[in-house]
Amino acid sequence: MARGLRPHRHDVHIAVGGLLGGLALLGIGLHTRARHAPASVLDQDWAVAVPLLVMAGCELLRRTRPGPALLVGTAAVVADLPTRGSLATVVMFTDLVYAAVLYGPPAFARRLPWITGLLTVIGTVVPLVVWRTPQALLLGVGVALVSLVPAATGWVVRNHRDTAVAERLRAEQTALLADMDRTQAVVAERARVARELHDMIANHMSAIAIHSTAALSLDDPETSRQALTVIRENSVEGLAEMRRLIGILRDSGDERAPAAAPTLDGLEALAEAARGNGLEVTLDARHGEVPTPVELAAYRIVQESLTNALKHAAPGRVTVALARRDGALEVAVTSPYGHRGGPRAPGSGAGLTGMRERAALLGGTFAAGPEDAVWTVRATLPLGDGEGDTA
């Protein structure tokens, strides 16, 4: 038998059980109707056994082919009516009705309860009109018990099953979305930590690289001493920044809270540190009060721009300007564009990517590139209500 027609093992148990039960009832002479008067060939046991065997065969297909099984089973139960009848045949027919609703196609399952309901009404009204006796109502009750009740039961069970399947799928989708959210959150957090680490450490490491190269290339004790002084200062500041970041990541909740995030009030100190590293910096900050995310983003953009100027700019003046205009904070950093004399620190371009990401997270714009003989960094950061995470 093809795999699609192979009976389910539970259906085999039902069919065998129904057949053996019907044969046992036939053996002890228990029937649902009395003998005909006068005696008829339909009173013979074989006349009862044939519909019973057909109904048992239909039970084998109750799950794999519920529609055809119900159709053949209906013919078998009709053929059982003229005989003395078997209770097992009727019980197995009710199971076929139930299985047709539970396992049949959705359209068929929706129609069958209405069909059995209509048959119940007909089986109640017609005998009552014809015989005009209250006992005629019992025929309608019998039709309801054999057809409507199992069909309604199958519909209720099917609804519960479909609801359970839908809830399980919804739970799986929710879990999948939650897992995707967690993955995206981890990726975003890694990018945030990478930006923060780069912005905090790159400036100090660039200064250390440049001055250590100068100390090694120049045979001048005083120059070497000055370079080592700058190296030490940047090392100490870099370690302090690193401890602050580690404290934020640990977030242990102890009394040693990490240092506060840098603010625009620290731009002067940032410019002074850049001057100590050899840059000629001019600062023009007219920003006023700005939201914390915008403040941090602007500070980091200026810090990274000064780092890039230290590594790549030609000798000359570096200007830093901040101003509020049209509901946004505009940041502009310009530096001489060209080949810098003396030792240079390597750069990977990660700084420009980080600055662009910070501006994008706030819904702002960022541009960097040469304009004539000047390298210009421009960022426009909307003030808004201060939403967005730029760290």
Side-chain angles (χ1 to χ4, degrees):
M1 184 179 294
R3 186 175 181 84
L5 297 177
R6 184 177 301 170
H8 193 277
R9 59 188 182 88
H10 291 163
D11 298 341
V12 175
H13 297 162
I14 293 173
V16 172
L19 179 60
L20 294 179
L23 293 176
L25 294 177
L26 186 62
I28 63 177
L30 182 60
H31 302 278
T32 58
R33 287 175 290 276
R35 289 182 178 272
H36 295 81
S40 169
V41 68
L42 295 176
D43 293 331
Q44 302 297 319
D45 288 344
W46 65 265
V48 179
V50 171
L52 176 66
L53 290 172
V54 173
M55 195 68 72
C58 292
E59 285 283 38
L60 295 174
L61 303 177
R62 63 188 293 275
R63 198 182 306 253
T64 57
R65 292 293 185 271
L70 178 61
L71 182 62
V72 177
T74 302
V77 79
V78 170
D80 183 69
L81 292 177
T83 69
R84 296 183 64 191
S86 173
L87 180 61
T89 301
V90 177
V91 171
M92 284 191 287
F93 176 74
T94 61
D95 180 66
L96 289 179
V97 176
Y98 168 82
V101 176
L102 183 60
Y103 302 115
F108 180 73
R110 285 193 300 268
R111 294 191 187 102
L112 192 56
W114 291 99
I115 295 174
T116 56
L118 179 61
L119 292 176
T120 300
V121 172
I122 294 174
T124 303
V125 174
V126 172
L128 184 62
V129 171
V130 173
W131 295 332
R132 297 182 182 279
T133 174
Q135 286 75 14
L137 295 175
L138 296 177
L139 184 59
V141 174
V143 174
L145 291 176
V146 172
S147 60
L148 179 59
V149 171
T153 304
W155 181 249
V156 171
V157 174
R158 181 172 184 140
N159 280 339
H160 282 291
R161 185 192 65 181
D162 293 345
T163 301
V165 171
E167 291 296 331
R168 183 172 65 252
L169 291 177
R170 188 178 296 109
E172 292 175 354
Q173 291 175 352
T174 301
L176 180 60
L177 291 176
D179 186 64
M180 292 175 61
D181 289 341
R182 286 193 296 269
T183 301
Q184 292 176 355
V186 170
V187 172
E189 182 65 12
R190 291 177 63 181
R192 185 189 72 85
V193 173
R195 286 195 305 271
E196 188 73 8
L197 182 61
H198 178 274
D199 291 344
M200 288 193 309
I201 304 303
N203 183 59
H204 301 300
M205 297 304 295
S206 298
I208 291 173
I210 290 175
H211 286 83
S212 61
T213 302
L216 291 173
S217 61
L218 299 178
D219 188 15
D220 183 356
E222 183 60 28
T223 302
S224 298
R225 178 180 294 276
Q226 293 176 358
L228 291 174
T229 301
V230 174
I231 291 172
R232 182 183 182 282
E233 291 174 352
N234 280 276
S235 300
V236 172
E237 292 176 4
L239 289 173
E241 292 279 8
M242 182 69 74
R243 281 195 296 269
R244 186 183 74 83
L245 179 59
I246 293 175
I248 293 175
L249 294 177
R250 285 178 175 172
D251 193 17
S252 58
D254 56 16
E255 295 180 356
R256 296 177 300 172
T263 65
L264 293 180
D265 292 336
L267 288 180
E268 183 58 45
L270 188 63
E272 188 62 32
R275 296 185 187 106
N277 289 328
L279 292 179
E280 185 181 353
V281 180
T282 299
L283 175 64
D284 180 14
R286 292 173 292 178
H287 49 79
E289 294 293 331
V290 298
T292 300
V294 176
E295 188 171 27
L296 179 57
Y299 182 92
R300 292 304 189 195
I301 289 173
V302 172
Q303 183 183 44
E304 180 59 27
S305 298
L306 292 177
T307 300
N308 288 342
L310 178 64
K311 292 190 294 183
H312 306 296
R317 184 177 299 276
V318 178
T319 62
V320 178
L322 287 84
R324 298 170 65 114
R325 187 174 292 108
D326 298 331
L329 178 65
E330 295 186 355
V331 180
V333 181
T334 60
S335 58
Y337 180 64
H339 296 288
R340 180 183 181 90
R344 300 182 61 182
S348 63
L352 292 177
T353 301
M355 289 189 286
R356 185 174 290 104
E357 289 177 351
R358 289 184 182 277
L361 286 173
L362 287 172
T365 60
F366 174 83
E371 296 180 2
D372 296 329
V374 175
W375 181 273
T376 303
V377 174
R378 298 186 187 278
T380 302
L381 308 176
L383 298 177
D385 54 5
E387 292 181 355
D389 178 13
T390 66

